[in-house]
Amino acid sequence: MLAALKREKLRETGLSPAVLEAMPQPVVVLDRDGVIFAFNRSFLNSAGLDQVDCAPGATLAELARLHGESGVLRQMAAAVGEAKPAAGPDKGDASVVRRTDIADGTRVLTVETAQSSGPDHASRSKAAFLASMSHELRTPLNSVIGFADIIKEQMFGPIGSDKYIEYAEEIRNSGHGLLSIINNIIDLSRIESGQFKLREEDTDMGELVQGVVKRLSEQTAAAQVKVTVESLAGLPPVSVDPRALQQVLGNILANAVKFTPPGGRICVGLARQGDNIETTVADTGCGMPPEHLARLGEAFLQADDVLARSHQGAGLGLALAKALVLMSGGRMEVTSESGKGTRVAIALPVPRAATPAA
């Protein structure tokens, strides 16, 4: 209950726990009494603190008095003190304090009040975060992936031991995995702030499904999972954003591969159901108990059993898939049974012109 209240309080500031943690600059969030109730790892590192130092009830002023050697805490506490008279005692329920390092070495401290800022300011904050995330994380990560490819392919000559090629492959694969998580976080944030725009066009679902399966063929082969595609010929096109739908099916199929043991099977089906085209992904994986189904698709949530914790991921794939399907005017349904597998069905409406008259 307390965790849910904390998430709701944080959401008032235009942030989520994962977005807060991913932000590169030090950020701390205070309630209306100045008590700290959320912060990110960058804040702890910049202030030289451990998580235990930010005990419940702690304020920036108290931390500055006890651990203010670095100056970061004193600067933040001073910024909050200066902002309070201007805001007034009843202007807002939460404040976000952040430090931004400008390229010329200048450091800027800002204090933002959630309620007085309003939704427009929260949207602008998210836009600024997205721009920072895109540049600060994706750009260097693409360089890591690119250089790993160069080493793996030995483009400038032999590198000696085959172990180096194996390690370069691991770096490349890990880089792609991290890049996928970052892209999912950015897309979810854009959807929440209303900045994600669909570019719909008539799309052949059969071709799209085959393309996604082919793109993930290397991953399914490595996992020793067999994927079959059962499609119905002559299906009418649907009006969707192809890139968004590729992302939806890619996330769902990758999730199925992740939780299906070697020797398992995944069946991708495509059929017309009334006025909808239904795409299904059914696996013979571990499945999940009923209590997990109710919260499936929640952002940044992973099942808390041992099996789920043994796999990498941030719990974003299905949350993003569900959000994109809803934006496309469709629906997503998940059925599962522990120990027997999971089935995900996506229903997308057929355009009226392609719907046969009654």
Side-chain angles (χ1 to χ4, degrees):
M1 183 66 176
L2 288 174
L5 290 172
K6 181 177 176 180
R7 285 197 302 270
E8 184 61 32
K9 194 81 171 173
L10 188 58
R11 195 173 290 117
E12 292 175 7
T13 69
L15 299 172
S16 69
V19 167
L20 175 65
E21 187 58 33
M23 295 178 81
Q25 66 266 48
V27 181
V28 60
V29 187
L30 317 174
D31 66 14
R32 66 187 308 159
D33 298 317
V35 175
I36 297 171
F37 72 86
F39 48 85
N40 62 4
R41 176 61 56 182
S42 181
F43 168 73
L44 294 179
N45 293 339
S46 298
L49 299 175
D50 293 321
Q51 192 150 348
V52 293
D53 294 323
C54 299
T59 66
L60 272 177
E62 291 169 353
L63 291 180
R65 189 173 64 252
L66 295 173
H67 310 280
E69 298 85 358
S70 67
V72 175
L73 290 169
R74 290 198 303 271
Q75 293 165 8
M76 285 187 159
V80 171
E82 292 170 4
K84 273 187 177 179
D90 299 320
K91 298 291 185 181
D93 293 330
S95 298
V96 179
V97 187
R98 73 182 79 200
R99 188 192 75 187
T100 304
D101 294 338
I102 309 301
D104 63 1
T106 305
R107 287 178 171 174
V108 179
L109 280 166
T110 56
V111 181
E112 301 161 359
T113 306
Q115 187 175 329
S116 60
S117 301
D120 290 341
H121 185 82
S123 180
R124 288 195 300 272
S125 295
K126 281 194 175 182
F129 160 72
L130 292 175
S132 175
M133 173 77 86
S134 298
H135 176 74
E136 299 295 335
L137 293 179
R138 289 202 288 195
T139 301
L141 190 55
N142 280 324
S143 296
V144 170
I145 294 170
F147 287 130
D149 274 331
I150 290 173
I151 295 171
K152 176 178 175 291
E153 299 300 328
Q154 305 181 76
M155 292 177 65
F156 298 106
I159 59 174
S161 172
D162 289 343
K163 276 293 180 183
Y164 291 128
I165 299 176
E166 181 183 332
Y167 296 154
E169 176 82 12
E170 287 296 324
I171 293 170
R172 175 182 175 275
N173 292 341
S174 297
H176 276 297
L178 183 55
L179 186 61
S180 176
I181 291 173
I182 292 170
N183 288 336
N184 284 344
I185 291 174
I186 291 173
D187 284 342
L188 272 173
S189 298
R190 289 170 61 203
I191 290 171
E192 289 177 359
S193 62
Q195 298 177 22
F196 193 100
K197 304 299 180 186
L198 294 176
R199 295 176 173 84
E200 296 182 344
E201 58 184 72
D202 287 347
T203 302
D204 185 316
M205 286 297 297
E207 290 184 4
L208 190 143
V209 167
Q210 292 284 4
V212 171
V213 171
K214 184 177 180 180
R215 178 163 55 86
L216 292 177
S217 59
E218 187 176 331
Q219 182 178 339
T220 56
Q224 301 177 43
V225 174
K226 183 178 180 181
V227 179
T228 58
V229 179
E230 299 176 356
S231 58
L232 181 65
L235 290 173
V238 292
S239 182
V240 294
D241 183 329
R243 189 199 71 85
L245 202 57
Q246 285 170 1
Q247 192 170 7
V248 168
L249 293 176
N251 285 350
I252 293 172
L253 186 56
N255 212 58
V257 173
K258 184 191 300 184
F259 291 103
T260 300
R265 301 182 311 279
I266 299 173
C267 180
V268 183
L270 191 62
R272 180 158 186 166
Q273 300 289 345
D275 292 339
N276 297 310
I277 299 296
E278 186 177 77
T279 307
T280 57
V281 178
D283 64 60
T284 59
C286 60
M288 64 192 79
E291 58 267 24
H292 289 166
L293 277 177
R295 298 185 63 195
L296 198 66
E298 235 180 83
F300 314 111
L301 174 74
Q302 278 193 313
D304 57 359
D305 54 61
V306 174
L307 186 57
R309 285 200 302 268
S310 68
H311 296 80
Q312 293 182 344
L316 296 169
L318 287 181
L320 181 58
K322 184 177 181 179
L324 289 173
V325 169
L326 291 174
M327 283 186 68
S328 302
R331 68 177 187 276
M332 188 177 91
E333 296 178 354
V334 183
T335 55
S336 185
E337 187 174 348
S338 186
K340 293 190 176 180
T342 300
R343 180 181 184 271
V344 182
I346 300 168
L348 294 166
V350 177
R352 289 186 179 275
T355 304

PDB file of all heavy atoms in Angstrom, residues 160-182:
ATOM      1  N   GLY A 160      43.545 -12.587 -33.064  1.00  0.00           N
ATOM      2  CA  GLY A 160      44.163 -13.622 -32.237  1.00  0.00           C
ATOM      3  C   GLY A 160      43.167 -14.663 -31.764  1.00  0.00           C
ATOM      4  O   GLY A 160      42.474 -15.290 -32.573  1.00  0.00           O
ATOM      5  N   SER A 161      43.051 -14.814 -30.472  1.00  0.00           N
ATOM      6  CA  SER A 161      42.224 -15.869 -29.880  1.00  0.00           C
ATOM      7  C   SER A 161      40.747 -15.712 -30.262  1.00  0.00           C
ATOM      8  O   SER A 161      40.216 -14.596 -30.338  1.00  0.00           O
ATOM      9  CB  SER A 161      42.356 -15.847 -28.356  1.00  0.00           C
ATOM     10  OG  SER A 161      41.432 -16.727 -27.760  1.00  0.00           O
ATOM     11  N   ASP A 162      40.108 -16.853 -30.504  1.00  0.00           N
ATOM     12  CA  ASP A 162      38.667 -16.849 -30.805  1.00  0.00           C
ATOM     13  C   ASP A 162      37.843 -16.344 -29.628  1.00  0.00           C
ATOM     14  O   ASP A 162      36.687 -15.960 -29.807  1.00  0.00           O
ATOM     15  CB  ASP A 162      38.200 -18.262 -31.178  1.00  0.00           C
ATOM     16  CG  ASP A 162      38.715 -18.692 -32.546  1.00  0.00           C
ATOM     17  OD1 ASP A 162      39.139 -17.805 -33.325  1.00  0.00           O
ATOM     18  OD2 ASP A 162      38.701 -19.906 -32.830  1.00  0.00           O
ATOM     19  N   LYS A 163      38.444 -16.379 -28.438  1.00  0.00           N
ATOM     20  CA  LYS A 163      37.723 -15.887 -27.253  1.00  0.00           C
ATOM     21  C   LYS A 163      37.373 -14.413 -27.404  1.00  0.00           C
ATOM     22  O   LYS A 163      36.328 -13.964 -26.949  1.00  0.00           O
ATOM     23  CB  LYS A 163      38.580 -16.098 -25.995  1.00  0.00           C
ATOM     24  CG  LYS A 163      38.471 -17.473 -25.388  1.00  0.00           C
ATOM     25  CD  LYS A 163      37.077 -17.721 -24.813  1.00  0.00           C
ATOM     26  CE  LYS A 163      36.955 -19.094 -24.192  1.00  0.00           C
ATOM     27  NZ  LYS A 163      35.568 -19.331 -23.697  1.00  0.00           N
ATOM     28  N   TYR A 164      38.255 -13.630 -28.050  1.00  0.00           N
ATOM     29  CA  TYR A 164      37.969 -12.217 -28.246  1.00  0.00           C
ATOM     30  C   TYR A 164      36.730 -12.022 -29.110  1.00  0.00           C
ATOM     31  O   TYR A 164      35.920 -11.125 -28.872  1.00  0.00           O
ATOM     32  CB  TYR A 164      39.176 -11.520 -28.886  1.00  0.00           C
ATOM     33  CG  TYR A 164      40.373 -11.404 -27.975  1.00  0.00           C
ATOM     34  CD1 TYR A 164      41.625 -11.834 -28.395  1.00  0.00           C
ATOM     35  CD2 TYR A 164      40.255 -10.859 -26.706  1.00  0.00           C
ATOM     36  CE1 TYR A 164      42.736 -11.740 -27.564  1.00  0.00           C
ATOM     37  CE2 TYR A 164      41.357 -10.751 -25.871  1.00  0.00           C
ATOM     38  CZ  TYR A 164      42.589 -11.196 -26.304  1.00  0.00           C
ATOM     39  OH  TYR A 164      43.672 -11.089 -25.463  1.00  0.00           O
ATOM     40  N   ILE A 165      36.580 -12.866 -30.126  1.00  0.00           N
ATOM     41  CA  ILE A 165      35.398 -12.785 -30.992  1.00  0.00           C
ATOM     42  C   ILE A 165      34.143 -13.138 -30.191  1.00  0.00           C
ATOM     43  O   ILE A 165      33.103 -12.497 -30.324  1.00  0.00           O
ATOM     44  CB  ILE A 165      35.555 -13.738 -32.197  1.00  0.00           C
ATOM     45  CG1 ILE A 165      36.782 -13.347 -33.024  1.00  0.00           C
ATOM     46  CG2 ILE A 165      34.297 -13.727 -33.061  1.00  0.00           C
ATOM     47  CD1 ILE A 165      37.082 -14.288 -34.182  1.00  0.00           C
ATOM     48  N   GLU A 166      34.267 -14.149 -29.343  1.00  0.00           N
ATOM     49  CA  GLU A 166      33.129 -14.549 -28.497  1.00  0.00           C
ATOM     50  C   GLU A 166      32.742 -13.429 -27.542  1.00  0.00           C
ATOM     51  O   GLU A 166      31.549 -13.126 -27.362  1.00  0.00           O
ATOM     52  CB  GLU A 166      33.522 -15.802 -27.706  1.00  0.00           C
ATOM     53  CG  GLU A 166      32.427 -16.331 -26.803  1.00  0.00           C
ATOM     54  CD  GLU A 166      32.889 -17.521 -25.980  1.00  0.00           C
ATOM     55  OE1 GLU A 166      33.803 -18.249 -26.442  1.00  0.00           O
ATOM     56  OE2 GLU A 166      32.349 -17.719 -24.870  1.00  0.00           O
ATOM     57  N   TYR A 167      33.738 -12.769 -26.947  1.00  0.00           N
ATOM     58  CA  TYR A 167      33.448 -11.676 -26.021  1.00  0.00           C
ATOM     59  C   TYR A 167      32.831 -10.478 -26.751  1.00  0.00           C
ATOM     60  O   TYR A 167      31.933  -9.810 -26.225  1.00  0.00           O
ATOM     61  CB  TYR A 167      34.721 -11.231 -25.298  1.00  0.00           C
ATOM     62  CG  TYR A 167      35.323 -12.291 -24.398  1.00  0.00           C
ATOM     63  CD1 TYR A 167      36.680 -12.294 -24.095  1.00  0.00           C
ATOM     64  CD2 TYR A 167      34.531 -13.315 -23.861  1.00  0.00           C
ATOM     65  CE1 TYR A 167      37.237 -13.264 -23.272  1.00  0.00           C
ATOM     66  CE2 TYR A 167      35.078 -14.282 -23.059  1.00  0.00           C
ATOM     67  CZ  TYR A 167      36.433 -14.264 -22.760  1.00  0.00           C
ATOM     68  OH  TYR A 167      36.975 -15.238 -21.951  1.00  0.00           O
ATOM     69  N   ALA A 168      33.325 -10.198 -27.979  1.00  0.00           N
ATOM     70  CA  ALA A 168      32.757  -9.104 -28.769  1.00  0.00           C
ATOM     71  C   ALA A 168      31.284  -9.374 -29.083  1.00  0.00           C
ATOM     72  O   ALA A 168      30.449  -8.461 -29.074  1.00  0.00           O
ATOM     73  CB  ALA A 168      33.554  -8.911 -30.059  1.00  0.00           C
ATOM     74  N   GLU A 169      30.970 -10.631 -29.340  1.00  0.00           N
ATOM     75  CA  GLU A 169      29.575 -11.020 -29.599  1.00  0.00           C
ATOM     76  C   GLU A 169      28.715 -10.781 -28.365  1.00  0.00           C
ATOM     77  O   GLU A 169      27.581 -10.289 -28.460  1.00  0.00           O
ATOM     78  CB  GLU A 169      29.528 -12.500 -30.002  1.00  0.00           C
ATOM     79  CG  GLU A 169      28.129 -13.071 -30.203  1.00  0.00           C
ATOM     80  CD  GLU A 169      27.558 -12.750 -31.564  1.00  0.00           C
ATOM     81  OE1 GLU A 169      28.304 -12.287 -32.446  1.00  0.00           O
ATOM     82  OE2 GLU A 169      26.351 -12.958 -31.746  1.00  0.00           O
ATOM     83  N   GLU A 170      29.259 -11.113 -27.185  1.00  0.00           N
ATOM     84  CA  GLU A 170      28.520 -10.895 -25.942  1.00  0.00           C
ATOM     85  C   GLU A 170      28.289  -9.397 -25.701  1.00  0.00           C
ATOM     86  O   GLU A 170      27.214  -8.980 -25.278  1.00  0.00           O
ATOM     87  CB  GLU A 170      29.281 -11.506 -24.758  1.00  0.00           C
ATOM     88  CG  GLU A 170      29.248 -13.022 -24.703  1.00  0.00           C
ATOM     89  CD  GLU A 170      27.846 -13.563 -24.503  1.00  0.00           C
ATOM     90  OE1 GLU A 170      27.054 -12.934 -23.777  1.00  0.00           O
ATOM     91  OE2 GLU A 170      27.532 -14.609 -25.105  1.00  0.00           O
ATOM     92  N   ILE A 171      29.324  -8.588 -25.960  1.00  0.00           N
ATOM     93  CA  ILE A 171      29.182  -7.134 -25.799  1.00  0.00           C
ATOM     94  C   ILE A 171      28.108  -6.609 -26.733  1.00  0.00           C
ATOM     95  O   ILE A 171      27.257  -5.795 -26.347  1.00  0.00           O
ATOM     96  CB  ILE A 171      30.530  -6.432 -26.077  1.00  0.00           C
ATOM     97  CG1 ILE A 171      31.551  -6.804 -25.001  1.00  0.00           C
ATOM     98  CG2 ILE A 171      30.349  -4.919 -26.132  1.00  0.00           C
ATOM     99  CD1 ILE A 171      32.959  -6.349 -25.313  1.00  0.00           C
ATOM    100  N   ARG A 172      28.142  -7.067 -27.986  1.00  0.00           N
ATOM    101  CA  ARG A 172      27.152  -6.633 -28.985  1.00  0.00           C
ATOM    102  C   ARG A 172      25.742  -7.013 -28.556  1.00  0.00           C
ATOM    103  O   ARG A 172      24.819  -6.188 -28.593  1.00  0.00           O
ATOM    104  CB  ARG A 172      27.493  -7.265 -30.331  1.00  0.00           C
ATOM    105  CG  ARG A 172      26.471  -7.004 -31.443  1.00  0.00           C
ATOM    106  CD  ARG A 172      26.900  -7.742 -32.719  1.00  0.00           C
ATOM    107  NE  ARG A 172      25.912  -7.614 -33.750  1.00  0.00           N
ATOM    108  CZ  ARG A 172      24.853  -8.405 -33.876  1.00  0.00           C
ATOM    109  NH1 ARG A 172      24.635  -9.367 -32.979  1.00  0.00           N
ATOM    110  NH2 ARG A 172      24.004  -8.232 -34.862  1.00  0.00           N
ATOM    111  N   ASN A 173      25.549  -8.265 -28.142  1.00  0.00           N
ATOM    112  CA  ASN A 173      24.214  -8.721 -27.749  1.00  0.00           C
ATOM    113  C   ASN A 173      23.714  -7.989 -26.506  1.00  0.00           C
ATOM    114  O   ASN A 173      22.542  -7.610 -26.426  1.00  0.00           O
ATOM    115  CB  ASN A 173      24.224 -10.235 -27.488  1.00  0.00           C
ATOM    116  CG  ASN A 173      24.441 -11.037 -28.762  1.00  0.00           C
ATOM    117  OD1 ASN A 173      24.239 -10.528 -29.868  1.00  0.00           O
ATOM    118  ND2 ASN A 173      24.853 -12.291 -28.624  1.00  0.00           N
ATOM    119  N   SER A 174      24.602  -7.782 -25.529  1.00  0.00           N
ATOM    120  CA  SER A 174      24.211  -7.056 -24.320  1.00  0.00           C
ATOM    121  C   SER A 174      23.872  -5.608 -24.652  1.00  0.00           C
ATOM    122  O   SER A 174      22.936  -5.036 -24.098  1.00  0.00           O
ATOM    123  CB  SER A 174      25.341  -7.100 -23.285  1.00  0.00           C
ATOM    124  OG  SER A 174      25.599  -8.424 -22.877  1.00  0.00           O
ATOM    125  N   GLY A 175      24.638  -5.019 -25.564  1.00  0.00           N
ATOM    126  CA  GLY A 175      24.355  -3.649 -25.989  1.00  0.00           C
ATOM    127  C   GLY A 175      22.999  -3.521 -26.640  1.00  0.00           C
ATOM    128  O   GLY A 175      22.238  -2.587 -26.356  1.00  0.00           O
ATOM    129  N   HIS A 176      22.671  -4.481 -27.514  1.00  0.00           N
ATOM    130  CA  HIS A 176      21.355  -4.457 -28.159  1.00  0.00           C
ATOM    131  C   HIS A 176      20.241  -4.637 -27.129  1.00  0.00           C
ATOM    132  O   HIS A 176      19.176  -4.011 -27.234  1.00  0.00           O
ATOM    133  CB  HIS A 176      21.263  -5.554 -29.224  1.00  0.00           C
ATOM    134  CG  HIS A 176      21.837  -5.162 -30.553  1.00  0.00           C
ATOM    135  ND1 HIS A 176      21.314  -4.132 -31.311  1.00  0.00           N
ATOM    136  CD2 HIS A 176      22.889  -5.651 -31.260  1.00  0.00           C
ATOM    137  CE1 HIS A 176      22.014  -4.002 -32.426  1.00  0.00           C
ATOM    138  NE2 HIS A 176      22.986  -4.904 -32.421  1.00  0.00           N
ATOM    139  N   GLY A 177      20.476  -5.504 -26.125  1.00  0.00           N
ATOM    140  CA  GLY A 177      19.466  -5.698 -25.079  1.00  0.00           C
ATOM    141  C   GLY A 177      19.229  -4.432 -24.291  1.00  0.00           C
ATOM    142  O   GLY A 177      18.086  -4.055 -24.018  1.00  0.00           O
ATOM    143  N   LEU A 178      20.318  -3.739 -23.917  1.00  0.00           N
ATOM    144  CA  LEU A 178      20.191  -2.495 -23.164  1.00  0.00           C
ATOM    145  C   LEU A 178      19.545  -1.410 -24.020  1.00  0.00           C
ATOM    146  O   LEU A 178      18.710  -0.635 -23.534  1.00  0.00           O
ATOM    147  CB  LEU A 178      21.571  -2.044 -22.690  1.00  0.00           C
ATOM    148  CG  LEU A 178      21.629  -0.784 -21.826  1.00  0.00           C
ATOM    149  CD1 LEU A 178      20.733  -0.916 -20.610  1.00  0.00           C
ATOM    150  CD2 LEU A 178      23.067  -0.508 -21.393  1.00  0.00           C
ATOM    151  N   LEU A 179      19.911  -1.353 -25.301  1.00  0.00           N
ATOM    152  CA  LEU A 179      19.324  -0.364 -26.201  1.00  0.00           C
ATOM    153  C   LEU A 179      17.820  -0.583 -26.334  1.00  0.00           C
ATOM    154  O   LEU A 179      17.036   0.373 -26.381  1.00  0.00           O
ATOM    155  CB  LEU A 179      19.994  -0.442 -27.570  1.00  0.00           C
ATOM    156  CG  LEU A 179      19.597   0.616 -28.595  1.00  0.00           C
ATOM    157  CD1 LEU A 179      19.948   2.016 -28.082  1.00  0.00           C
ATOM    158  CD2 LEU A 179      20.284   0.352 -29.929  1.00  0.00           C
ATOM    159  N   SER A 180      17.397  -1.850 -26.365  1.00  0.00           N
ATOM    160  CA  SER A 180      15.969  -2.160 -26.447  1.00  0.00           C
ATOM    161  C   SER A 180      15.228  -1.666 -25.208  1.00  0.00           C
ATOM    162  O   SER A 180      14.132  -1.103 -25.307  1.00  0.00           O
ATOM    163  CB  SER A 180      15.782  -3.672 -26.611  1.00  0.00           C
ATOM    164  OG  SER A 180      14.413  -4.019 -26.593  1.00  0.00           O
ATOM    165  N   ILE A 181      15.828  -1.849 -24.024  1.00  0.00           N
ATOM    166  CA  ILE A 181      15.205  -1.380 -22.787  1.00  0.00           C
ATOM    167  C   ILE A 181      15.083   0.146 -22.801  1.00  0.00           C
ATOM    168  O   ILE A 181      14.039   0.709 -22.461  1.00  0.00           O
ATOM    169  CB  ILE A 181      16.018  -1.851 -21.561  1.00  0.00           C
ATOM    170  CG1 ILE A 181      15.906  -3.368 -21.406  1.00  0.00           C
ATOM    171  CG2 ILE A 181      15.523  -1.154 -20.288  1.00  0.00           C
ATOM    172  CD1 ILE A 181      16.815  -3.933 -20.325  1.00  0.00           C
ATOM    173  N   ILE A 182      16.157   0.819 -23.218  1.00  0.00           N
ATOM    174  CA  ILE A 182      16.136   2.283 -23.273  1.00  0.00           C
ATOM    175  C   ILE A 182      15.063   2.771 -24.237  1.00  0.00           C
ATOM    176  O   ILE A 182      14.291   3.689 -23.933  1.00  0.00           O
ATOM    177  CB  ILE A 182      17.523   2.818 -23.680  1.00  0.00           C
ATOM    178  CG1 ILE A 182      18.537   2.552 -22.569  1.00  0.00           C
ATOM    179  CG2 ILE A 182      17.460   4.320 -23.987  1.00  0.00           C
ATOM    180  CD1 ILE A 182      19.968   2.824 -22.972  1.00  0.00           C
TER     181      ILE A 182
END
